[in-house]
Amino acid sequence: EDQVTQSPEALRLQEGESSSLNCSYTVSGLRGLFWYRQDPGKGPEFLFTLYSAGEEKEKERLKATLTKKESFLHITAPKPEDSATYLCAVQAATNAGKSTFGDGTTLTVKP
Amino acid sequence: EAGVTQFPSHSVIEKGQTVTLRCDPISGHDNLYWYRRVMGKEIKFLLHFVKESKQDESGMPNNRFLAERTGGTYSTLKVQPAELEDSGVYFCASSQGGAQPQHFGDGTRLSIL
């Protein structure tokens, strides 16, 4: 069974204080790993897709990396507007479409 | 481009009643998915449509849940009869291809009393 574990559960940062969120996964052949951002009362908003170990993607202050066992979402010099829950999900090569989600990391950035 | 739209945004019904949720995917997206999050748990997969066909319904909890996608456009998810444990947020998502990023609606918050 595919599994995704995210840590920490919650993270509080001061504005400008860089940090990383972790997503550990087990999947029977990875087709893709997805990062989403979710604001309260909203649906998940797509950020990145990573397909193979060593791949990296960047968008503004966010950078996602992938190894064979885990992915990191690095946040550089965060701002209060980066506060949200960040979700990680995987799709197995044998079942394109079905995404298995982690519980998420709730990030709070204080000014 | 309009995003994924879900109706209603909230629904409160009593145990034993019937509720129908609707999802309008992004235009041109053949793949449509239903997920749900129950209190304190992660978002869990329910099923996957490709056009009007059910590709994978392995996450449907039981036969009280019926999903349809007639004509391959919008989809409905009916719960009949609703039970207390069905409370949660039901999300719909769509994508162009099966392995492509999924775009989510804002969900329907379902409360069973």
Side-chain angles (χ1 to χ4, degrees), chain A residues 31 41 43 91 95 97 99 103, chain B residues 35 42 56 98 102 105-106 109:
Chain A
R31 177 178 289 273
Q91 286 187 9
N95 195 345
S99 288
D103 287 332
Chain B
Y35 292 85
E42 73 275 20
D56 179 357
Q102 296 175 13
D106 287 337
R109 282 145 190 83

Side-chain angles (χ1 to χ4, degrees), chain A residues 34-51:
Chain A
F34 303 85
W35 281 98
Y36 293 89
R37 169 192 170 125
Q38 186 174 24
D39 293 298
K42 300 291 187 180
E45 175 189 350
F46 170 71
L47 293 173
F48 303 110
T49 308
L50 301 166
Y51 292 107

Side-chain angles (χ1 to χ4, degrees), chain A residues 36-95:
Chain A
Y36 293 89
R37 169 192 170 125
Q38 186 174 24
D39 293 298
K42 300 291 187 180
E45 175 189 350
F46 170 71
L47 293 173
F48 303 110
T49 308
L50 301 166
Y51 292 107
S52 57
E55 191 175 359
E56 299 183 352
K57 293 273 180 75
E58 278 189 75
K59 180 180 178 180
E60 295 180 354
R61 294 177 293 282
L62 300 177
K63 179 180 176 179
T65 62
L66 181 66
T67 72
K68 288 187 178 179
K69 293 184 179 181
E70 58 191 350
S71 176
F72 290 94
L73 185 65
H74 306 278
I75 304 176
T76 302
K79 298 181 177 181
E81 53 262 42
D82 295 322
S83 298
T85 296
Y86 291 85
L87 299 167
C88 173
V90 297
Q91 286 187 9
T94 54
N95 195 345

